[in-house]
Amino acid sequence: MSTELTGAEITVRCLQKEGVDHIFGYPGGAVLYIYDELFKQDKVKHVLVRHEQAAVHAADGYARSSNRVGVALVTSGPGVTNAVTGIATAYMDSIPLVIISGQVPTHAIGLDAFQEVDTVGITRPCVKHNFLVKDITELATTIKKAFYIASTGRPGPVLVDIPKDVSQQKTAFVYPERVSMRSYNPVTKGHSGQIKKAVQLILGAKRPMIYTGGGVILSDAAARLTDVVRMLGFPCTNTLMGLGGYPATDKQFVGMLGMHGTYEANMAMQHCDVLVAIGARFDDRVIGNPKHFYNEDRKIIHIDIDPSSISKRVKVDVPIVGSIPDVLDELIKLLKAGKEQPDQAALDAWWTQIDLWRARDCLKYDRASPIIKPQMVIEKLYEVTGGNAFITSDVGQHQMWAAQFYKFDLPRRWINSGGLGTMGFGLPAAMGVQFANPEGTVACVTGEASIQMCIQELSTCKQYNLPLKIVNLNNRYMGMVRQWQEFFHGNRYAESYMDALPNFVKLAESYGHVGMKIEQPGDIEDALKEAFKLKDRLVFMDFITDQTENVFPMVPGGKGLSEMILV
Amino acid sequence: MENEAGALSRVAGLFSSRGYNIESLTVAATEDPTLSRMTLVTAGSDDVVEQITKQLNKLIEVVKVVDLSDGDHIERELMLIKMRAVGKDREEIKRMADIFRGRIIDVTDKSYTIELTGTGSKLDAFLEAMERSAILETVRTGASGIGRGERILKI
């Protein structure tokens, strides 16, 4: 007869069994027993954030940069509601998280108790699944299921709500080695007949295009994808979520596509005759208006683990439901086994066309400007870090410039909120990245508006000595809002100007960090070099940038990808 | 689907959050008490119905989804209808209920309560046949469906 453990002990033991080394959280009444157990052990290290939203973003950054499940712990009521933005962010980008929340005691549920919210109800639309554990004998199995569901199939956040009395009661602890659920059996192998059809289409293509998304990153399929693309000699584009899926410095990479994608990527998308979509979901910011999503007839092959992503916005010809590594392995096998080769003459002509589009040099900007151009800061950041940094970002213009100008050769290096577009994500996500990669160089590219949405985490960074480098592109505007107002709202900059900004240098210093203000283009490189030399300090670099700079190219909402506004 | 608290709200929530219609929905435990079965009537183009099916399958507590209208199937709905029944109307209402194979299950000196089972359109037809002002109250269950012949939905 094994000894009985409390629900709180069981919770912590489950985390240990899952090999969790860091959890991000904030204590409160309903989770006090769990915190008490965390206190008594040192295998699972707790990171105390300053706001629950940051706990979930940090767990998220941890997961994105490591392919491990991120874990957050929050209390009931406001703890959960603060966490919701983080959970929804992870849900939109399919990030594997387990969120443990405290709940009021079972006897008080439904009675409007202090710090009570219907956590399962509030989070239902933004989790892959959630559980309320009312019976302590189901606690261990439920946590096991949570990790299993979060990390398999199309990943996503799973929440486990634990009432206070359940964390206090006792039962025998048995952690199941594995769980099986009759209602949850994610597929892995793709349909071999469909893969054969795809190979036929690929080999017959005259103007092929490979378009890949976050699924390639999440399934750790970047190396295989690179093999396939190189074997075929086809052009490849990545979505915002897919950057690093194919090396950005490779000549077959045509840049990011989408609303702020390159001219060559967007034009190739519109003019190809065979489109291979891998782990991408034809999102509105990526393909624009589906009604205008082609200039010529073409066939689409779509590989994705989630059947509901297939033919959701765009009808496809060859759907392949399966895990990307498995499907690519099969694809490589068939390509190698067959005698047929891609049509080289047609491919040469296609590349000639693509190079003409490339020559348009759509990302050009005024390098001689006496005011700092934000693009130049990112280019210098790329140079100074040798392209090896983990880059997190917030949301807006700076995010697009980081995506356009930092060339990601490796997966899991570009950490941003692509789906939900959460301002405030960058700094806490960078904390999680640093915990998952203690030796890694981590920079957060942000703006003066976004950074203020989770600025309190500078305190967390001090407590844990996180040597993050914050690159603040400060244009005194909510830049992307300003850009839309300039283009579509007659230059009426309604509430998009950032007045009464803090002195970021002093602010950073007051948190115990290093602050720098950079106002001259000629100082960018030296400032970055100096900052990255400070290996054990957080450095907040406040770059005062051109207020009127816009992100180009731009596909206006409702238009097709070929209808770009260019510089 | 799993006969668990919250499963129904996941389905209902999915329909409202993605903007699908629910025309009717019935759910109850099956002979296996760990499972419940839901019949949901919705309308949409083939593409929409395909998405609904895929989205339902993604819900962790949904064990299996079939589109009954893909093949031969039977659907039945129960309606209880309370009619004002006085004077010569009593005879007429009784006669109509018989024609529609309804049963009078409660009687007062002023009213009949009729139980009627059938497809939704049969129930509609009965209501059409009744004088509007005589209908005091109706309650309908929504359709329950099952495949015809050997077609079985079982786990």
Side-chain angles (χ1 to χ4, degrees):
Chain A
M1 178 72 198
S2 54
T3 51
E4 295 203 324
L5 303 183
T6 66
E9 284 177 279
I10 289 172
T11 304
V12 174
R13 290 280 287 273
C14 289
L15 298 177
Q16 292 173 349
K17 291 265 186 192
E18 287 293 332
V20 174
D21 50 23
H22 286 92
I23 66 170
F24 304 86
Y26 203 102
V31 283
L32 279 176
Y33 289 105
I34 299 174
Y35 271 86
D36 204 26
E37 289 309 319
L38 283 170
F39 187 82
K40 296 175 191 164
Q41 55 85 56
D42 58 7
K43 280 189 187 151
V44 180
K45 293 189 181 59
H46 181 271
V47 177
L48 176 67
V49 295
R50 300 300 183 264
H51 185 290
E52 286 88 350
Q53 179 186 345
V56 184
H57 287 332
D60 182 321
Y62 179 98
R64 289 184 204 233
S65 62
S66 69
N67 194 24
R68 301 176 64 195
V69 176
V71 183
L73 172 60
V74 298
T75 194
S76 65
V80 166
T81 55
N82 279 347
V84 165
T85 300
I87 298 170
T89 302
Y91 180 67
M92 286 294 274
D93 291 343
S94 306
I95 306 304
L97 298 185
V98 169
I99 298 100
I100 294 174
S101 57
Q103 181 55 278
V104 301
T106 47
H107 59 79
I109 290 177
L111 301 179
D112 300 323
F114 176 66
Q115 293 193 329
E116 179 185 2
V117 291
D118 174 9
T119 298
V120 164
I122 282 180
T123 58
R124 189 189 303 119
C126 60
V127 292
K128 185 170 174 188
H129 196 54
N130 58 17
F131 298 94
L132 168 63
V133 185
K134 283 183 163 173
D135 178 350
I136 188 177
T137 63
E138 290 174 6
L139 179 59
T141 311
T142 303
I143 294 175
K144 180 79 196 175
K145 280 182 185 171
F147 276 90
Y148 171 60
I149 293 169
S151 58
T152 52
R154 179 178 179 173
V158 179
L159 180 138
V160 183
D161 199 24
I162 306 176
K164 188 167 187 180
D165 55 330
V166 173
S167 70
Q168 191 185 9
Q169 290 156 9
K170 286 187 164 187
T171 192
F173 174 59
V174 185
Y175 198 60
E177 283 299 309
R178 59 176 60 84
V179 282
S180 69
M181 301 167 74
R182 62 182 168 189
S183 58
Y184 178 69
N185 297 293
V187 290
T188 52
K189 287 263 173 262
H191 190 281
S192 59
Q194 292 291 90
I195 298 174
K196 282 198 187 100
K197 267 194 220 165
V199 168
Q200 283 313 308
L201 272 182
I202 286 168
L203 290 172
K206 306 268 185 226
R207 298 184 309 278
M209 180 68 175
I210 297 178
Y211 141 62
T212 82
V216 168
I217 312 286
L218 291 166
S219 63
D220 275 340
R224 282 184 185 81
L225 172 72
T226 306
D227 286 349
V228 174
V229 175
R230 290 207 172 127
M231 187 190 284
L232 292 168
F234 291 0
C236 180
T237 181
N238 293 157
T239 67
L240 179 68
M241 291 306 299
L243 292 174
Y246 188 80
T249 52
D250 190 274
K251 63 181 189 316
Q252 281 170 251
F253 186 65
V254 293
M256 180 175 78
L257 80 160
M259 183 172 269
H260 296 294
T262 65
Y263 184 66
E264 51 270 32
N266 286 346
M267 292 302 277
M269 286 295 285
Q270 296 288 113
H271 290 273
C272 64
D273 71 340
V274 172
L275 178 62
V276 187
I278 308 175
R281 59 188 178 90
F282 298 86
D283 170 79
D284 56 297
R285 286 293 192 270
V286 171
I287 64 143
N289 187 336
K291 289 199 186 85
H292 307 295
F293 180 46
Y294 58 90
N295 291 47
E296 298 176 51
D297 275 345
R298 53 117 181 273
K299 299 280 184 198
I300 302 178
I301 299 160
H302 189 182
I303 305 168
D304 205 287
I305 189 105
D306 177 6
S308 75
S309 280
I310 292 175
S311 293
K312 183 171 70 178
R313 295 191 78 233
V314 170
K315 273 276 180 201
V316 304
D317 303 282
V318 182
I320 303 172
V321 178
S323 108
I324 295 167
D326 286 353
V327 174
L328 290 184
D329 280 347
E330 179 93 13
L331 203 67
I332 292 169
K333 211 169 75 189
L334 288 175
L335 285 169
K336 281 186 175 158
K339 289 189 194 79
E340 270 186 87
Q341 294 289 324
D343 180 343
Q344 200 53 50
L347 207 51
D348 288 345
W350 179 226
W351 272 114
T352 305
Q353 172 64 66
I354 289 171
D355 287 337
L356 281 174
W357 287 324
R358 253 183 189 157
R360 181 69 180 71
D361 192 13
C362 67
L363 296 179
K364 65 173 175 261
Y365 65 92
D366 178 11
R367 287 166 195 278
S369 163
I371 310 166
I372 293 180
K373 289 287 180 182
Q375 298 96 321
M376 184 174 277
V377 179
I378 307 294
E379 280 189 337
K380 295 289 178 198
L381 174 67
Y382 173 75
E383 286 168 26
V384 169
T385 57
N388 283 321
F390 291 86
I391 305 291
T392 73
S393 94
D394 275 300
V395 171
Q397 287 184 319
H398 66 267
Q399 177 189 26
M400 292 302 116
W401 285 316
Q404 289 175 333
F405 288 89
Y406 200 100
K407 300 183 199 70
F408 294 95
D409 278 345
L410 294 169
R412 299 193 181 279
R413 294 298 171 107
W414 167 237
I415 313 287
N416 85 128
S417 166
L420 196 67
T422 307
M423 291 169 70
F425 174 80
L427 175 57
M431 303 186 323
V433 172
Q434 189 75 78
F435 278 108
N437 304 274
E439 304 304 320
T441 301
V442 186
C444 167
V445 175
T446 184
E448 84 291 342
S450 280
I451 191 66
Q452 291 193 84
M453 286 214 186
C454 269
I455 192 106
Q456 75 286 344
E457 296 310 313
L458 286 175
S459 176
T460 309
C461 294
K462 183 63 190 170
Q463 184 174 342
Y464 297 92
N465 295 316
L466 302 176
L468 307 177
K469 303 295 177 274
I470 297 173
V471 176
N472 189 40
L473 300 179
N474 184 345
N475 63 355
R476 288 84 74 211
Y477 271 112
M478 291 162 216
M480 191 58 89
V481 173
R482 193 205 61 81
Q483 177 170 343
W484 282 58
Q485 288 170 334
E486 179 187 329
F487 289 9
F488 312 119
H489 298 277
N491 298 297
R492 290 180 299 279
Y493 300 130
E495 303 299 323
S496 57
Y497 183 70
M498 274 276 149
D499 215 345
L501 285 170
N503 177 330
F504 285 109
V505 173
K506 282 189 181 165
L507 182 71
E509 286 169 358
S510 82
Y511 278 107
H513 302 306
V514 178
M516 293 162 103
K517 186 173 183 176
I518 303 98
E519 295 178 275
Q520 299 301 324
D523 296 339
I524 300 173
E525 190 168 334
D526 286 346
L528 285 164
K529 281 183 177 160
E530 191 187 330
F532 280 95
K533 252 184 231 156
L534 297 172
K535 297 239 178 267
D536 54 351
R537 297 297 298 276
L538 183 149
V539 183
F540 192 113
M541 286 163 273
D542 189 22
F543 290 94
I544 308 303
T545 64
D546 188 345
Q547 292 196 279
T548 59
E549 190 59 41
N550 289 319
V551 182
F552 292 108
M554 178 172 187
V555 181
K559 301 281 188 184
L561 280 186
S562 51
E563 302 168 76
M564 280 166 276
I565 305 172
L566 294 159
V567 200
Chain B
M1 51 199 215
E2 300 290 349
N3 186 12
E4 283 171 7
L8 170 62
S9 57
R10 280 183 216 282
V11 174
L14 170 68
F15 274 72
S16 63
S17 68
R18 293 195 181 264
Y20 309 139
N21 293 314
I22 298 179
E23 290 189 0
S24 75
L25 183 161
T26 67
V27 60
T30 65
E31 75 283 4
D32 173 350
T34 67
L35 286 170
S36 56
R37 172 157 170 153
M38 172 184 287
T39 305
L40 195 148
V41 180
T42 185
S45 64
D46 287 352
D47 291 349
V48 170
V49 172
E50 184 185 328
Q51 262 301 311
I52 291 174
T53 308
K54 288 172 169 178
Q55 293 292 348
L56 283 170
N57 268 314
K58 265 173 80 171
L59 296 177
I60 305 291
E61 283 152 339
V62 170
V63 183
K64 203 165 179 180
V65 181
V66 295
D67 182 350
L68 280 175
S69 63
D70 270 351
D72 282 348
H73 69 283
I74 303 161
E75 55 181 271
R76 286 291 180 272
E77 181 176 358
L78 170 68
M79 175 168 69
L80 301 177
I81 173 166
K82 192 168 287 190
M83 304 282 304
R84 181 161 13 84
V86 286
K88 61 178 176 23
D89 286 349
R90 286 177 84 85
E91 189 55 28
E92 176 62 9
I93 292 168
K94 169 82 171 77
R95 207 169 57 83
M96 289 300 282
D98 287 344
I99 291 170
F100 279 85
R101 293 173 207 213
R103 293 195 304 142
I104 296 172
I105 54 172
D106 187 43
V107 177
T108 70
D109 55 358
K110 291 197 191 78
S111 72
Y112 283 156
T113 300
I114 302 159
E115 169 196 320
L116 192 61
T117 311
T119 60
S121 58
K122 175 183 157 180
L123 304 188
D124 292 341
F126 182 76
L127 289 173
E128 280 293 306
M130 292 292 111
E131 194 195 320
R132 187 105 200 147
S133 63
I135 300 172
L136 298 173
E137 187 181 351
T138 62
V139 54
R140 296 170 70 150
T141 58
S144 289
I146 197 163
R148 257 193 200 282
E150 309 303 315
R151 200 175 164 217
I152 280 168
L153 166 58
K154 198 144 174 99
I155 307 308

